[in-house]
Amino acid sequence: MTDIRWDHDREARTGIPEVVFAPGKTLEQLVSLFSEGEGLRLATRLSEAQMEAISSLAQVDPVSRTAVRAPRASLDLSPVGVLTGGTGDIPVASEAVAVLRALGYPCLTFFDVGVAGLHRLQKVLPQLKDCPVLIVAAGMEGALPSVLAGLVDAPVIAVPTSVGSGISLGGTVALHSMLASCSPGIAVVNIDNGFGAACVAIKMINRLGRN
Amino acid sequence: MTDIRWDHDREARTGIPEVVFAPGKTLEQLVSLFSEGEGLRLATRLSEAQMEAISSLAQVDPVSRTAVRAPRASLDLSPVGVLTGGTGDIPVASEAVAVLRALGYPCLTFFDVGVAGLHRLQKVLPQLKDCPVLIVAAGMEGALPSVLAGLVDAPVIAVPTSVGSGISLGGTVALHSMLASCSPGIAVVNIDNGFGAACVAIKMINRLGRN
Amino acid sequence: MTDIRWDHDREARTGIPEVVFAPGKTLEQLVSLFSEGEGLRLATRLSEAQMEAISSLAQVDPVSRTAVRAPRASLDLSPVGVLTGGTGDIPVASEAVAVLRALGYPCLTFFDVGVAGLHRLQKVLPQLKDCPVLIVAAGMEGALPSVLAGLVDAPVIAVPTSVGSGISLGGTVALHSMLASCSPGIAVVNIDNGFGAACVAIKMINRLGRN
Amino acid sequence: MTDIRWDHDREARTGIPEVVFAPGKTLEQLVSLFSEGEGLRLATRLSEAQMEAISSLAQVDPVSRTAVRAPRASLDLSPVGVLTGGTGDIPVASEAVAVLRALGYPCLTFFDVGVAGLHRLQKVLPQLKDCPVLIVAAGMEGALPSVLAGLVDAPVIAVPTSVGSGISLGGTVALHSMLASCSPGIAVVNIDNGFGAACVAIKMINRLGRN
Amino acid sequence: MTDIRWDHDREARTGIPEVVFAPGKTLEQLVSLFSEGEGLRLATRLSEAQMEAISSLAQVDPVSRTAVRAPRASLDLSPVGVLTGGTGDIPVASEAVAVLRALGYPCLTFFDVGVAGLHRLQKVLPQLKDCPVLIVAAGMEGALPSVLAGLVDAPVIAVPTSVGSGISLGGTVALHSMLASCSPGIAVVNIDNGFGAACVAIKMINRLGRN
Amino acid sequence: MTDIRWDHDREARTGIPEVVFAPGKTLEQLVSLFSEGEGLRLATRLSEAQMEAISSLAQVDPVSRTAVRAPRASLDLSPVGVLTGGTGDIPVASEAVAVLRALGYPCLTFFDVGVAGLHRLQKVLPQLKDCPVLIVAAGMEGALPSVLAGLVDAPVIAVPTSVGSGISLGGTVALHSMLASCSPGIAVVNIDNGFGAACVAIKMINRLGRN
Amino acid sequence: MTDIRWDHDREARTGIPEVVFAPGKTLEQLVSLFSEGEGLRLATRLSEAQMEAISSLAQVDPVSRTAVRAPRASLDLSPVGVLTGGTGDIPVASEAVAVLRALGYPCLTFFDVGVAGLHRLQKVLPQLKDCPVLIVAAGMEGALPSVLAGLVDAPVIAVPTSVGSGISLGGTVALHSMLASCSPGIAVVNIDNGFGAACVAIKMINRLGRN
Amino acid sequence: MTDIRWDHDREARTGIPEVVFAPGKTLEQLVSLFSEGEGLRLATRLSEAQMEAISSLAQVDPVSRTAVRAPRASLDLSPVGVLTGGTGDIPVASEAVAVLRALGYPCLTFFDVGVAGLHRLQKVLPQLKDCPVLIVAAGMEGALPSVLAGLVDAPVIAVPTSVGSGISLGGTVALHSMLASCSPGIAVVNIDNGFGAACVAIKMINRLGRN
């Protein structure tokens, strides 16, 4: 692993430890990263083969494509709310959930509550009231964060997903919709970036929500 | 006007008469077009100077930037519903209204009912139930047609508008959102094309709604 | 199927029942969806493996990549006309046909009538006169809806297809052509969205064409 | 003002009152909006003419192009840090500052600390340590949020600006850089959207930072 | 004019003399270019001020925005056919006509024969049979070259124009449509490039059509 | 082959017979198309499997991925010149050659004469003088047609190829360069469209070059 | 000028002093910047009004839109070669020249030597042999750097210009062509960035060319 | 190898010998190219199969995907510095290193020093001071060249890599960031073009750094 300069100091500086982004890593590199040292180790975007290679060294979750070794104990905090527009967005939302839980932040999930059937969102609205932050993953036209942000006072972290077809394939339509939202108070991360959404939530809670 | 080949037969073939698209027309051409012949004449996208030039020859509406000579009598039909997300979308919606009314099709308007304050849409929902077709103009992230199409059984004709800022300037974000909608049953026209939306509605009513 | 919130009420609200969009669904999820309950069930965009998995539970059509269980009886209505520019557009048009027929709406098809050989369109024109709505699937430069909409009084629902090469690969050229058409009265849906075109047609017929 | 449906309830629902987006509003509409009622009224993106029209009804700031009537008293909170990469980004950052201060949230500003001269950022770093949230406006390649987010534990709200030339004209390069950042924990808003950044900060503080 | 390296040899090499592209030229430069030497001189894309500055030195045509000094005598050749889809495309077509006529190549024009009213094209079809080359200028969805190329055996030089609105503003939709045409035998030039279309026609005739 | 409407009349109308575009065709369809009738049959863009399926029914060329049955006898005409910038462009140029030769039009080829080593082009220049038309296939920055068109009086048909890497992957850079060329007299076809280039050349020769 | 943090140390660190980018600066700011202190001061991208405001404080060049106070004495070095494709590219090339000369680096200029008339480039080639670095500004299809880099051993710094029309308007076609060049050894800067090209040349000479 | 016109003279003209770009070459062609003649032969972008085919004829490096036969002896020069932002950028940087070393130019590498942990760059800064040129490969938001160019006086050759996800997939975000950099003196090459970066460095050193 000679070419990797591990940023041991990152958590002290930023509140978020270095996390392994799996694409491009060899199986040997991953096994080595999960074998050396001890304590928390977290990897995201694992392929099938990568998940199998480290399955005895960490807890692997095939939906979120993450692996965690030595997850932190759950903190006593109000849970982050994690929502999706459709079932296709669940892998992305699950990446956020996996990162949050590995680092000790509790979550509540509300999947498949997209705007095509608005009653589904209205039904879960009361349960969202206790969540200090909401992470919303949506593909296609990505309208759920707009509707939600007009209904709640919590900050909404919007995660566009690459779920879609035709013009929305790849997620740029959802990304642009979320950036262009008519509802103020929406913070956007990169397409499919469940990890990034979790990090924004963690930084908020660390700096604002624990005191 | 030697280079214009007027398509006199268009209304007989398609149900929609030829309408003057003003950009690029000289004031002389416009005055001539509104002076010659008689009966219905309709122009869209008029500039300030063009509106002034024909103000004595036709009814000019500065909001929709249209002019009409000899509008048709109102037909005895259920009204087309015309909605907007914000106040900035009103000029585009008004173009649809102007075209519909000039050709005799009654309309009802419901402006500024965008998804940032969902209660506004919910309040007008009962009045929409009688409209056989809904035209919805929205800019920015263009989420209103998605939400609406999940709540009603009328076909929704979505008109993206060029209202927006940053990434949504010019209307492509709204256009793409409407095409990518997770709610089935939305028909989309070009950006700011209130005229086109009216024509789709008219073709529907002519072929489907009068018998 | 715990994460799916089935929208049982959708047909009552919008006239269109919830339909299964297959991409991303596991074989187990699909088998379960076609095994549970009874009555109409419809899936689109099925892969080879997905079609095989449910072939004993539903009628599978490999051209349109759809499956239907318990299709509705055919309604006594004038048929929707479904056209394509070329033979490559047939799968998309067939998705529209499969959805219409599964829900009981009769169709007539007119394939390979693109503008490179205009006599083919002119030959079928008389048969189109009885169709209250026309669905037109075309790829490449997508000119067929423009030409057709100038010849008929029925509303034209244009479906751009991803058929093409070079600059038109993926369907955006056809999509943009249809939106920019010089012929008024064209309603556009997303690329390859035969399902969406069928839904627009159904909403039109339900609200306008049955009384 | 008949077509405007004022969302009186927005602050109660979301913590952020309705704010007037000036583009497209007539001078009459703006004067009326600032004359009617009492208490806080805030407008953004004012043109020169609009600023002049309401200069006797509100405090107008020509840099941020905002106007405020009856600003809220300053809350006793740690200040939001507002940074810019260059001097050209100051108008956008100032919009964020104006919105925060109008609603009572204290700010500290650190302008022209871009990455071309890194020592400028390093010099202000100690003063940033007390800020619970950082808003960073940057144009051109938009690298400042990436560098900053690797150095601090506060959440970074990145505002791409339209400042740039050639390929970066209009702000999409900065926007994309911020979304693609290798530093986790960055939340992005639309190009030039200082108002939106302020709203995200306010929602964070309201839900997380006051207890 | 020290910085201009006039390519005196161009016509001998390529059959097309150097032509002045006016944008960016000062009035002084243009006057100088039309004052010096003698024989044919041709300029395109002239502004109002530029046309006025050289109006006594050359024949100026305000529609095509061209100026010509000492045009060549008309050659005894079959005429090039020049068509447009709409009236808005006439300035672009006229640039092609002006270049052809200045260099001695006869033309016939057929304007406003777009596909929204197909009978207009069918009416002029017999007159096109004698034209060895057809230049077709069209904006919006640019479908005219596709339809025409399927009906005639002459090569079609397609000129997309910037005429359009919404998604087709600026001419890229027409450009892409023409490149993606399902009708073989279409050669495309840059948007609004009537001059370039004329040059292709001239090169064809010079090398192929005079023997 | 029920859904295919074969355009038997195309060659009579346009000078170019209908040619089979292979993508999307089943092996059965191709075998049937090459088994039925007699006389010329030509297919382009064949896959490996498609080439194998019809290898006993037609002459198959794996470089150009074409197949021809009963090619026309070579006409007594000056040859079309076909050039490429690099070796990677040869498959595209070969498609043009295959189409031309199948239809009886003689060709000369000049491959790998790109602008990075200008002496290669200068060396073949004398041989190009007899060619009435030049087809030039080039990828990457696509500069060869610009340089060539400034040196010869024959019309240049430019074929951008998808050869490239990074920003030029897929061919749009070459396409745009060719359209934007500073050398007048270049006609452009779609990316990788060797067939289209051949058709333009054939139309030119048929209408202009045989008399 | 309170918000400007002048980077006094930049020349010591990087070899290039801070230069004033004029867009967005008020006349007062510019006058102040050119009044305070002494020694070299350089501004680029000045508007007409800005040039007039500081005309008594610095040497203003209206072609390159630059102003310089106290230019450095010319260094005894081989000159940088600065070329343009056309006359329209001269303002961009002149910005490079102005920056180089203000900082003491000698230049030779070779304007209007684009590839449409290759003999012009071939004629100046011998004079380029002494230049250690070549800066090449070109718009439209931007082919000049490709051709030049295949002929010389000096590094080529390519500056795409926004000169063009239709598809090449704004300079992205030239930019992409230069990046995709088949000739190795081309370094590219942003569109119209003559200043940036000069800086690359200066850094090369400072680190490599003076010893 | 009949269709390849080998440019034997290239190194004499430009200082860089012709190098084999492997994509599209058959195994036979590659074996032939590495078998014929003697002396230096270099290939880039080799596939697994291509590397295996020539493994006995040349030194193959699987990380950079290059092969070299008869590399030049190392020149006695200050080393080129080659840096990467992350570990994913190493293959691209390694291509630059392989080309430089094959041609005799010494290099020093500094990998994984991206801006998310700025201390890593600051730590290697002293070692960069002796490098006359710096090549920097970075993906995602590509901020490393901006930060670096503000700290050193060597010219920075920036190589955007296709490493990224979501909006930055494929490398255009990094490319645009580098072009738009606020730090002057950055020269940019195509995405993933380690070879091109090496060529720019070599041309600099040859013309400027050896005397």
Side-chain angles (χ1 to χ4, degrees), chain G:
Chain G
M1 308 300 297
T2 48
D3 289 324
I4 299 184
R5 295 176 197 241
W6 197 261
D7 188 355
H8 297 286
D9 185 48
R10 184 171 292 181
E11 190 163 13
R13 287 195 323 273
T14 70
I16 296 166
E18 191 154 16
V19 170
V20 179
F21 183 71
K25 298 278 186 304
T26 63
L27 299 185
E28 292 67 32
Q29 286 177 314
L30 278 170
V31 168
S32 161
L33 282 163
F34 274 84
S35 303
E36 73 191 12
E38 51 187 26
L40 176 81
R41 184 119 311 171
L42 181 58
T44 61
R45 308 287 172 98
L46 293 156
S47 67
E48 294 291 330
Q50 289 174 324
M51 286 193 273
E52 200 179 306
I54 57 172
S55 62
S56 64
L57 300 167
Q59 286 166 254
V60 166
D61 173 27
V63 173
S64 63
R65 309 193 88 81
T66 56
V68 60
R69 184 188 74 183
R72 302 266 164 81
S74 186
L75 298 162
D76 182 23
L77 295 167
S78 297
V80 174
V82 182
L83 302 87
T84 74
T87 54
D89 308 312
I90 292 176
V92 173
S94 297
E95 187 184 88
V97 169
V99 171
L100 285 165
R101 290 189 175 148
L103 299 176
Y105 299 82
C107 309
L108 281 179
T109 62
F110 307 90
F111 293 161
D112 201 15
V113 295
V115 303
L118 207 57
H119 58 288
R120 299 178 300 190
L121 178 63
Q122 288 165 325
K123 200 168 158 191
V124 304
L125 214 48
Q127 303 170 65
L128 301 180
K129 293 288 176 189
D130 293 331
C131 299
V133 192
L134 300 172
I135 291 173
V136 186
M140 302 173 96
E141 87 277 49
L144 183 54
S146 282
V147 172
L148 182 62
L151 297 171
V152 299
D153 64 347
V156 169
I157 304 170
V159 194
T161 74
S162 54
V163 171
S165 67
I167 201 73
S168 63
L169 197 67
T172 52
V173 172
L175 169 65
H176 289 164
S177 282
M178 292 166 178
L179 288 165
S181 177
C182 57
S183 298
I186 299 177
V188 185
V189 298
N190 198 359
I191 297 164
D192 289 338
N193 193 5
F195 165 67
C199 292
V200 175
I202 290 169
K203 284 196 153 196
M204 286 187 195
I205 292 168
N206 282 358
R207 282 304 300 261
L208 289 161
R210 294 195 180 190
N211 348 345

Side-chain angles (χ1 to χ4, degrees), chain A:
Chain A
M1 308 302 298
T2 48
D3 289 325
I4 300 183
R5 295 176 199 243
W6 197 260
D7 188 356
H8 297 285
D9 186 48
R10 183 171 293 179
E11 190 163 13
R13 288 197 320 275
T14 70
I16 295 167
E18 191 155 16
V19 169
V20 179
F21 183 70
K25 298 279 186 303
T26 63
L27 299 185
E28 291 68 32
Q29 286 177 315
L30 277 170
V31 167
S32 163
L33 281 163
F34 274 85
S35 303
E36 72 191 15
E38 53 187 22
L40 177 80
R41 184 121 309 170
L42 181 58
T44 61
R45 307 284 173 101
L46 292 156
S47 67
E48 294 290 330
Q50 289 174 326
M51 285 193 273
E52 199 177 308
I54 57 172
S55 61
S56 64
L57 299 166
Q59 287 165 255
V60 166
D61 172 28
V63 172
S64 63
R65 309 190 89 80
T66 57
V68 61
R69 184 189 73 183
R72 301 267 165 81
S74 186
L75 297 162
D76 183 22
L77 295 167
S78 297
V80 174
V82 181
L83 301 87
T84 74
T87 56
D89 308 313
I90 292 175
V92 173
S94 297
E95 188 184 270
V97 169
V99 171
L100 286 164
R101 290 189 177 149
L103 299 176
Y105 298 82
C107 310
L108 280 180
T109 62
F110 308 89
F111 294 161
D112 201 16
V113 295
V115 303
L118 206 57
H119 57 289
R120 298 179 300 189
L121 178 63
Q122 288 165 323
K123 200 168 157 190
V124 304
L125 215 47
Q127 303 171 64
L128 302 178
K129 295 288 175 189
D130 292 331
C131 298
V133 192
L134 300 173
I135 291 173
V136 186
M140 303 174 95
E141 87 276 49
L144 182 55
S146 283
V147 172
L148 183 62
L151 297 171
V152 299
D153 65 347
V156 170
I157 304 170
V159 194
T161 74
S162 54
V163 171
S165 66
I167 201 72
S168 64
L169 198 65
T172 51
V173 172
L175 170 64
H176 290 164
S177 283
M178 291 167 178
L179 288 164
S181 176
C182 57
S183 298
I186 298 177
V188 185
V189 297
N190 198 358
I191 297 164
D192 288 340
N193 194 4
F195 165 68
C199 292
V200 175
I202 290 169
K203 283 196 155 196
M204 286 186 195
I205 293 169
N206 283 357
R207 280 307 298 264
L208 290 160
R210 292 193 183 192
N211 346 347

Side-chain angles (χ1 to χ4, degrees), chain E residues 117-128:
Chain E
L118 207 57
H119 56 288
R120 298 177 299 188
L121 178 63
Q122 288 165 325
K123 200 166 158 190
V124 304
L125 214 48
Q127 302 171 65
L128 301 179

